[in-house]
């Protein structure tokens, strides 16, 4: 597998090796020792899947305390996936990185705890899967507005986002009390 640090070095783009022939293809999407060599993990305790239609935008979400590292991938379809650093004291606080994840490229993104996460479905539908380092704690999860102008995410043009009420009404990052955000280590 090929692992590339993004503009925010803790967020990693993973390109699994794909083996194909006349029958189809095979790729390994998780092997603890191999991923641990790149600081991914250490342990995953929950797997999730979400199915969404074109234009669905889920995010920007975070859970703190009980931060979740997420290893994300698309099983079918395509998304534009985003991670935003909101760790107090981080040199990259408020910066974002994005990557296209699709059934075709089979890329994964490692989003460490302390980052907002979200994605926009760019295909007709998408089945999105991810492994989490912490279980879901709804009482500690919150969202930041997907179109916060101070973050300035360059979402793919020409797609009108379909949002949940929670995501549509989420506050801007500057409206969240600093003590509610995780501390950089």
């Amino acid at each position: 597998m090929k692992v590339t640090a993004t503009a925010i070095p803790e967020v990693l783009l993973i390109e699994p090796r794909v083996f194909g022939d006349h029958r189809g293809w095979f790729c390994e999407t998780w092997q603890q020792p191999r991923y641990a060599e790149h600081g991914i993990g250490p342990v995953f305790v929950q797997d999730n899947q979400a199915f969404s239609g074109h234009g669905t935008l889920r995010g920007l979400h975070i859970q703190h305390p009980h931060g979740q590292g997420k290893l994300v991938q698309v099983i079918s379809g395509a998304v534009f996936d985003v991670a935003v650093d909101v760790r107090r004291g981080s040199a990259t606080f408020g910066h974002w990185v994005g990557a296209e994840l699709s059934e075709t490229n089979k890329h994964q993104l490692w989003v460490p705890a302390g980052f907002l996460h979200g994605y926009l479905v760019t295909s007709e539908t998408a089945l999105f899967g991810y492994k989490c380092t912490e279980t879901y704690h709804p009482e500690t999860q919150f969202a930041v507005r997907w179109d916060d102008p101070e973050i300035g995410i360059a979402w793919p043009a020409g797609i009108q986002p379909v949002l949940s009420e929670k995501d549509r009404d989420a506050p801007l990052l500057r409206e969240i009390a600093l003590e509610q955000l995780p501390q950089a280590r």
Side-chain angles (χ1 to χ4, degrees):
M1 78 183 176
K2 178 181 175 187
V3 178
T4 307
T6 65
I8 302 174
E10 297 89 345
V11 179
L12 303 174
L13 182 66
I14 298 113
E15 300 175 51
R17 289 183 63 197
V18 180
F19 303 92
D21 62 24
H22 66 281
R23 301 168 297 161
W25 57 267
F26 169 86
C27 80
E28 186 177 86
T29 60
W30 170 249
Q31 186 201 91
Q32 195 278 327
R34 186 168 304 161
Y35 281 66
E37 290 174 12
H38 299 281
I40 298 171
V43 175
F44 290 107
V45 298
Q46 181 174 320
D47 282 5
N48 299 322
Q49 289 186 349
F51 180 79
S52 306
H54 181 263
T56 297
L57 194 152
R58 295 183 185 267
L60 302 166
H61 301 152
I62 189 168
Q63 182 171 286
H64 178 72
H66 309 290
Q68 291 179 310
K70 298 175 182 176
L71 180 63
V72 302
Q73 64 186 348
V74 169
I75 298 159
S76 69
V79 307
F80 182 69
D81 197 84
V82 173
V84 181
D85 187 354
V86 292
R87 299 168 300 161
R88 290 178 288 146
S90 168
T92 55
F93 180 86
H95 295 201
W96 68 275
V97 293
E100 179 191 16
L101 306 179
S102 72
E103 69 180 291
T104 304
N105 69 23
K106 298 173 184 44
H107 293 176
Q108 299 172 308
L109 197 66
W110 167 242
V111 181
F115 285 74
L116 296 169
H117 176 253
Y119 62 92
L120 174 67
V121 177
T122 57
S123 54
E124 185 178 329
T125 62
L127 180 57
F128 188 83
Y130 55 107
K131 303 179 93 45
C132 300
T133 60
E134 176 63 69
T135 57
Y136 178 55
H137 292 268
E139 73 282 2
T140 70
Q141 187 199 51
F142 60 95
V144 170
R145 256 233 341 252
W146 67 278
D147 62 348
D148 186 324
E150 291 179 20
I151 297 172
I153 297 170
W155 295 101
I159 299 176
Q160 182 61 42
V162 178
L163 302 161
S164 69
E165 188 175 317
K166 172 184 150 183
D167 291 345
R168 184 192 68 225
D169 297 338
L172 301 172
L173 180 57
R174 67 177 154 77
E175 296 172 330
I176 295 184
L178 277 178
E179 52 276 358
Q180 190 176 351
L181 299 173
Q183 179 71 44
R185 294 180 186 182

